[in-house]
Amino acid sequence: VSLSDYTLGVGQGSYVDDALNENPGLTGAELKFESDTIQNKYTKTCHDQLLSLYAYQLGTDGKIIENSGIDLSGNLTGNKIEWQSPTEGNWIVTQVYSVAKKPSLDPMHPLSGKSYVKHFFQRFEDRFPEQSKGGLNFFFSDELSFNLHGYIWNSIFRNEFRKRKGYDIVPYLTALFTHIGPITPKIRLDYNDVMVSLSEENFFIPVYQWHEDRNLIYGCDHGGRGKDVSEFGDYFRTQRWNQAPGCDQPNLGKDIIKNKVASSIAHLYKRPRVWLEGFHSSNWGTNTANLTDATFANFVMGQNLLSLHGFYYSTMGGWWEWAPPCNHTHMPYWEEMGPFLECTERLSYILSQGYHRADVAILYPVESVVAGYDQTAVQKAFSLGEYLYREGVDFDFMDYESLAKANIKNSKIHISGEEFKVLIIPSMKAIRHSSLKKALQFKQNGGIVINLGELPEATEKKGLNDPEVRSLLNKLFGPDSKNAFVAKENQEVLDILDTNLTRDFRILSQQPQKDMPYIMHRKLGNKDLYAVYNVPSGTECFFHATGGIELWDPWTGKTKEITASKTTDEGTIIQMPMEKQDLHLFVFDSAKKAIIAEVPQTSVSKTILLDGEWSFDLKPSLNNKFGDFHWPATDELLGAYIYKARYNQASSETADWQSPSFDDSGWKSQTFTYGTKFMILEATPELSEKELLTHLPYQSNRVQIDNKEYTWKPYEFSWRWGVEN
């Protein structure tokens, strides 16, 4: 049982607003930038809360000349500046100032997390001190927003920055908004590092720790779901402070990037749970096959805790909808949900055990975005991830802090129980200096390093034009380099992988129609667990594991020994025994030997032909006790209902309208059960009743009054059903 904070955030009249009312100092501020290009004398009234006032000389190319900045704050009289440029030519005068954003919550404020806890989570424990301990399992944070954007600021930032970075940021604030020379990327990376660190220490960690102290899970589905890499400054660093990092998958979605960001955070920071919020907005036609397919696919991609999107307290006669369906009592298949939920529990347990295994780590490209480059690095990283996974190559994203603290041994990157043989840098023109040094160490230890796209050019150490960066890159990717490669396209990356290592999983059979394979490998002590989904029966697959093989059934919990088609020194070949709709859990036990099949293993399923005439019954299954489907409420089970239909007059074109492939999208749509209809004007002019009566819709659908045209439109409602949607 959990509680969610959805719709209770900043400015929504709930606990965050309570915190802001108690302590208005929690309100955040954003940095703003303004510039003027001048040639001689400059006079201007500056903004309140001014932080930086600098003049820079412009070159003939219109760009700021390096080291030309002049601090003009000493020329201020009150908030007015009068200044004469010392040389002819163009100069640019810049102001950086802060503006309070109301309402907002400043995550860098020392009391932000404590106040957040006090006004929301702690209230439940205070009100029910004993019951909450045994009755609450977790809290769910949905679409967290501080209502702050861009560069944020507060009264402690300047001193904290000086303590952490050893210099004053104020003289360099202009660099956050425009290029002032080679030092620019360094300033932006340093600012971001301090901003994220303060947000972690003052907001994210206190919230995480409150749950950790109570053995509660704190799950999340936040704004960009990891696709906005710089959300909260650094999505990876901030979201590690959840017991269950996660994302939603609306419309039965199977987004590999969202899943991989969430599960990679979990893997690298030892968070055993990965939250799946599924599957809002798939609509009322969603059936158990849809639900099972989406759950299996997302679990194999890295999720292991399912939270079905919502249970509606009431659907108010069948017409109230918010991101339907409700996969609970409102669905005709609810009585049959038990086996599915038990299956999900077994999968949640087993896919939370041990350690994830994938050969490839792709650097999560926060630095390039933070340093002011375009989205190329993000696009390259996500495109490559999607491409590799579709080809059966599993991967994790890796943040720079995990790479920095990882151990390099036996040609692998070792971190938090994970092991990676390949490190990929996705066109990151800005990168952490530590990442380049660790990449070189990894390569020298026999690991494989691949740069996809453009090479790095800037780090937080000195910014651009750093000789040490050029030296590191030359040692990594120079002409005499081994184990390190520069690739232009995704296919090149795959070719490099196939040339230099044995894949962890590979489909060997030629498939008539190439489906997306879903694959996960976990190490459970001396056992290797492979979860495989959406691979047809009879398909031959290679697994980079050896030992006796069992097939575990998540529906029943039963296990059975199965045979291999072939074994090699590198691994095992298995012919898939079940259909693509079945989730295969193969467990290899290294303490035993695989049994080789004397004849090819055949599918366990068979086809039954339903020929001749046959019939079926529609059984009532919708419990209307609370008026969920029909008003008034009735103690009966309702049968099939038609609320809407598309229709067309019979013609030769509709002869095959019962064919599944027939396109009826252009037919007229009709909603049933509505009664009263009336017409309204889309804009109401100031008219007397007598004047209005002269413009009734039966006279003309278009009304022109005072040279302005209005249009009547139909509007339907029912005293019984309400208003549709």
Side-chain angles (χ1 to χ4, degrees):
V1 176
S2 79
L3 292 158
S4 168
D5 63 7
Y6 190 54
T7 74
L8 305 178
V10 176
Q12 293 180 302
S14 190
Y15 68 97
V16 182
D17 293 347
D18 293 343
L20 293 170
N21 290 333
E22 179 184 77
N23 183 0
L26 294 170
T27 299
E30 299 171 346
L31 291 180
K32 301 295 181 182
F33 175 75
E34 187 175 301
S35 66
D36 297 295
T37 301
I38 66 167
Q39 289 184 327
N40 293 298
K41 191 173 182 180
Y42 180 65
T43 302
K44 186 160 186 172
T45 300
C46 297
H47 289 275
D48 294 334
Q49 305 302 319
L50 183 68
L51 296 168
S52 166
L53 181 63
Y54 269 75
Y56 299 88
Q57 189 174 11
L58 299 178
T60 55
D61 58 358
K63 296 180 179 179
I64 289 175
I65 297 174
E66 184 181 355
N67 299 322
S68 66
I70 300 175
D71 184 1
L72 302 184
S73 58
N75 298 73
L76 280 169
T77 302
N79 65 341
K80 189 173 182 180
I81 175 72
E82 289 189 5
W83 181 71
Q84 175 71 45
S85 60
T87 62
E88 293 185 359
N90 289 334
W91 286 71
I92 183 173
V93 180
T94 65
Q95 296 183 61
V96 180
Y97 55 98
S98 68
V99 175
K101 179 75 175 294
K102 296 182 179 181
S104 67
L105 178 67
D106 177 10
M108 301 190 300
H109 192 287
L111 297 177
S112 60
K114 292 178 181 178
S115 184
Y116 201 83
V117 166
K118 172 186 174 182
H119 286 279
F120 184 50
F121 307 110
Q122 189 62 42
R123 282 181 174 177
F124 297 98
E125 188 172 283
D126 291 344
R127 179 65 180 84
F128 300 104
E130 294 306 319
Q131 296 95 320
S132 66
K133 292 177 183 176
L136 290 176
N137 305 110
F138 52 89
F139 281 87
F140 176 51
S141 179
D142 200 4
E143 300 177 11
L144 173 68
S145 172
F146 300 118
N147 201 31
L148 292 169
H149 305 282
Y151 300 106
I152 62 177
W153 189 262
N154 65 16
S155 60
I156 69 169
F157 189 89
R158 185 177 188 177
N159 287 335
E160 287 293 336
F161 187 94
R162 188 185 285 112
K163 283 193 296 186
R164 295 162 193 249
K165 297 300 178 183
Y167 67 96
D168 187 3
I169 181 104
V170 167
Y172 300 99
L173 284 176
T174 299
L176 299 179
F177 299 92
T178 190
H179 194 83
I180 65 169
I183 199 173
T184 301
K186 170 183 172 55
I187 302 302
R188 293 173 179 176
L189 288 166
D190 282 350
Y191 164 86
N192 187 261
D193 186 31
V194 174
M195 186 267 284
V196 173
S197 295
L198 287 173
S199 299
E200 287 182 282
E201 295 161 15
N202 294 328
F203 179 82
F204 291 100
I205 292 176
V207 174
Y208 168 85
Q209 196 60 50
W210 187 90
H211 291 82
E212 192 73 1
D213 291 343
R214 290 155 179 79
N215 199 29
L216 294 171
I217 294 173
Y218 188 48
C220 73
D221 165 46
H222 286 158
R225 284 87 184 180
K227 290 189 168 184
D228 179 359
V229 299
S230 60
E231 187 174 17
F232 313 120
D234 185 327
Y235 190 86
F236 217 98
R237 283 175 62 185
T238 56
Q239 298 314 292
R240 61 186 171 180
W241 301 111
N242 292 281
Q243 279 79 6
C247 64
D248 65 1
Q249 291 287 359
N251 301 304
L252 303 168
K254 305 168 185 175
D255 191 310
I256 181 64
I257 300 304
K258 293 198 297 186
N259 285 343
K260 278 299 172 187
V261 174
S263 61
S264 298
I265 294 171
H267 299 156
L268 295 175
Y269 288 96
K270 297 182 178 180
R271 311 290 189 237
R273 293 294 194 181
V274 186
W275 190 288
L276 168 59
E277 181 194 344
F279 299 92
H280 76 71
S281 305
S282 63
N283 293 311
W284 294 112
T286 302
N287 58 43
T288 49
N290 304 144
L291 196 60
T292 305
D293 171 66
T295 301
F296 282 178
N298 283 290
F299 267 47
V300 176
M301 284 193 284
Q303 306 278 10
N304 59 28
L305 191 159
L306 174 64
S307 171
L308 291 169
H309 175 255
F311 170 76
Y312 297 150
Y313 183 79
S314 172
T315 49
M316 295 187 286
W319 284 107
W320 188 87
E321 298 188 358
W322 171 250
C326 158
N327 300 112
H328 297 87
T329 59
H330 300 98
M331 289 303 247
Y333 53 72
W334 173 247
E335 290 188 3
E336 307 301 326
M337 280 285 279
F340 168 79
L341 295 174
E342 290 176 10
C343 173
T344 302
E345 288 178 4
R346 291 188 184 96
L347 288 174
S348 296
Y349 173 77
I350 196 63
L351 297 180
S352 300
Q353 306 307 306
Y355 299 99
H356 176 241
R357 282 289 176 267
D359 291 330
V360 175
I362 302 174
L363 268 185
Y364 192 63
V366 177
E367 291 78 24
S368 283
V369 175
V370 167
Y373 293 99
D374 61 21
Q375 293 287 317
T376 298
V378 176
Q379 293 163 359
K380 289 280 189 182
F382 293 170
S383 169
L384 177 64
E386 291 172 347
Y387 177 83
L388 291 179
Y389 197 78
R390 183 170 288 278
E391 293 296 323
V393 178
D394 197 7
F395 69 96
D396 265 342
F397 289 112
M398 179 176 286
D399 64 313
Y400 79 93
E401 287 196 337
S402 293
L403 180 59
K405 66 185 180 183
N407 293 317
I408 306 297
K409 59 182 180 181
N410 301 324
S411 304
K412 295 178 183 177
I413 298 171
H414 295 262
I415 174 72
S416 299
E418 311 294 307
E419 300 175 0
F420 301 96
K421 300 176 181 177
V422 182
L423 177 66
I424 298 178
I425 303 171
S427 201
M428 294 174 64
K429 298 189 77 171
I431 193 171
R432 294 285 171 177
H433 203 84
S434 61
S435 297
L436 282 180
K437 293 178 72 173
K438 188 57 70 78
L440 178 58
Q441 180 190 350
F442 179 47
K443 173 214 164 179
Q444 291 170 340
N445 190 257
I448 300 168
V449 180
I450 304 172
N451 190 95
L452 175 62
E454 296 188 77
L455 289 169
E457 64 178 27
T459 74
E460 83 288 0
K461 189 172 183 181
K462 290 185 179 179
L464 292 160
N465 305 331
D466 185 350
E468 189 176 346
V469 170
R470 286 195 291 267
S471 174
L472 285 169
L473 289 172
N474 187 58
K475 291 176 182 176
L476 262 171
F477 303 110
D480 300 326
S481 178
K482 294 181 181 179
N483 300 345
F485 309 87
V486 177
K488 294 181 179 180
E489 304 293 339
N490 293 339
Q491 180 63 53
E492 287 184 65
V493 175
L494 187 63
D495 292 342
I496 292 168
L497 297 180
D498 282 338
T499 303
N500 291 275
L501 58 77
T502 300
R503 282 208 216 171
D504 192 49
F505 168 83
R506 183 192 287 271
I507 293 177
L508 302 177
S509 303
Q510 285 293 112
Q511 296 175 266
Q513 179 180 346
K514 189 175 182 181
D515 294 305
M516 169 96 157
Y518 299 97
I519 174 70
M520 176 194 282
H521 176 191
R522 298 191 71 83
K523 190 72 175 176
L524 314 179
N526 67 338
K527 294 181 172 64
D528 289 272
L529 167 70
Y530 283 84
V532 185
Y533 180 62
N534 205 41
V535 178
S537 65
T539 304
E540 278 202 329
C541 297
F542 170 81
F543 298 85
H544 195 22
T546 56
I549 314 164
E550 288 185 337
L551 183 64
W552 292 9
D553 183 359
W555 291 102
T556 65
K558 295 180 179 179
T559 68
K560 68 175 182 179
E561 193 171 52
I562 64 167
T563 59
S565 301
K566 183 181 178 182
T567 59
T568 69
D569 292 339
E570 294 182 319
T572 306
I573 297 173
I574 297 176
Q575 197 174 74
M576 299 298 281
M578 300 188 294
E579 299 297 327
K580 61 185 285 187
Q581 296 88 353
D582 296 308
L583 175 55
H584 292 75
L585 293 176
F586 297 113
V587 179
F588 295 82
D589 186 345
S590 60
K592 301 177 182 178
K593 284 190 175 182
I595 301 172
I596 309 300
E598 297 180 3
V599 295
Q601 194 162 302
T602 57
S603 172
V604 297
S605 64
K606 61 181 179 179
T607 301
I608 300 174
L609 178 64
L610 297 178
D611 55 353
E613 291 188 1
W614 55 286
S615 62
F616 68 95
D617 292 326
L618 282 176
K619 293 186 176 181
S621 60
L622 305 177
N623 189 334
N624 199 47
K625 181 177 181 179
F626 300 104
D628 284 315
F629 307 101
H630 184 92
W631 279 348
T634 53
D635 278 325
E636 63 177 319
L637 292 178
L638 302 180
Y641 255 52
I642 295 178
Y643 289 111
K644 297 181 181 181
R646 287 189 298 276
Y647 67 93
N648 201 9
Q649 293 181 343
S651 70
S652 59
E653 297 177 0
T654 61
D656 61 343
W657 69 274
Q658 295 185 65
S659 166
S661 61
F662 183 79
D663 182 11
D664 63 356
S665 59
W667 287 15
K668 294 179 181 178
S669 180
Q670 175 66 50
T671 299
F672 296 95
T673 75
Y674 278 100
T676 308
K677 295 184 180 183
F678 60 95
M679 305 286 277
I680 61 172
L681 279 175
E682 63 180 11
T684 305
E686 295 295 329
L687 294 177
S688 67
E689 182 180 353
K690 183 176 180 181
E691 289 174 314
L692 188 60
L693 288 173
T694 65
H695 296 288
L696 290 174
Y698 54 77
Q699 295 175 323
S700 171
N701 191 45
R702 296 195 173 276
V703 178
Q704 187 164 334
I705 302 170
D706 295 332
N707 296 319
K708 189 171 183 180
E709 192 172 78
Y710 299 91
T711 305
W712 290 96
K713 64 177 182 180
Y715 192 84
E716 297 180 80
F717 87 105
S718 166
W719 295 117
R720 207 174 140 192
W721 298 98
V723 178
E724 186 177 0
N725 295 323

